[in-house]
Amino acid sequence: MEEKKQKNYDELFSFAEYSPEEAERSGYSDYSYWKAVFQSFLKKKTAVALSVIFLGLVIFSFVALAIGKYDYSSLIADTKLAFIQPNGEYWFGTDNLGRDYWCQVWFAAQTSIKLALIVALGECALGVTIGCIWGYVRSLDRFFTELYNLINNVPMIIYMTLIALLIGQSFLIMAISLIAFNWLTMARNVRNLVMMYRDREYNLASRCLGTSVGRILVKNIFPYLISVIILRLALSIPGTITLESTLSYLGLGLGIDTPSLGVLLRNARSYFLDYPYLLIFPAVIVSVITVTFYLIGNAFSDAADPRNHV
């Protein structure tokens, strides 16, 4: 009986031979963070379609100037051609000075998109840097908190009014001004997350082992910030275009010699009831950029969150 049990045992179980190649293969994972991010993003069909629309709009803004019949730099005012409705000669009509509106709209779109990208990247770099220092270095928390409250409690319109009156209005001044005030939200969000992850066990262990602060921030904490940074970066672009349009509408934005979508909207406010095309074309472009990038940013932020990777 015992021999039969032993025989059944030997048939059911056998020792597996050790193979270094098989062990290495079974322990290998081809997981890639950014590969997982893009795979997750591509599953969101609506966001992908909106990305194509946005990229198509940006590319077409350059193509439109190339295929247009008139060059923006050579436009000459001619009141005899004022307020011509869109036709085969003037595809978007003409403005109150008789200038082709097609090249103005697409040149302005380029200016607004360029401004938004510069401000978004500058705001991201400044906000992330200050936010990491603010959240990690305890002794500087009070200083940055008071600085944040001092700047944030004064309405943006007051800052921009003073800058426009005392310094002037130009593309460079507008970009620097927006970066100087828009970093607050990014820095606050980063600071809150850094404080949350700063004293986790693995970070305490890293400090005990003598790991530098910079390496802890980059290797241990920064991966948890990516989704928030991407979301804020994505929201900054339509936010900047909307703010620039509002400021230009109030006469506080870019100079009159620097065309932007906001400047065109400001110029159209006196004529849009009689000539609605002056308002419709730039307003549609502003709306498309704002809505598409807002939805794309939310979708990409969700995809970039490591907690959503299974």
Side-chain angles (χ1 to χ4, degrees), residues 167-181:
I167 301 178
Q169 296 172 270
S170 68
F171 183 92
L172 180 62
I173 293 174
M174 171 69 79
I176 294 175
S177 301
L178 293 180
I179 292 172
F181 299 116

Side-chain angles (χ1 to χ4, degrees), residues 154 166 176:
V154 179
L166 299 178
I176 294 175

Side-chain angles (χ1 to χ4, degrees), residues 29 35 63 69 109 128 172 189 279 300:
S29 173
K35 180 181 177 180
V63 175
K69 296 183 178 182
V128 170
L172 180 62
N189 294 337
L279 180 67
F300 202 81

Side-chain angles (χ1 to χ4, degrees), residues 63 65 74 78 87 93 97 103 109 142 154 174 229 255 260 280:
V63 175
L65 293 177
S74 60
D78 186 356
N87 54 40
L97 298 178
C103 62
R142 178 66 181 273
V154 179
M174 171 69 79
I229 293 172
S260 68
I280 291 174

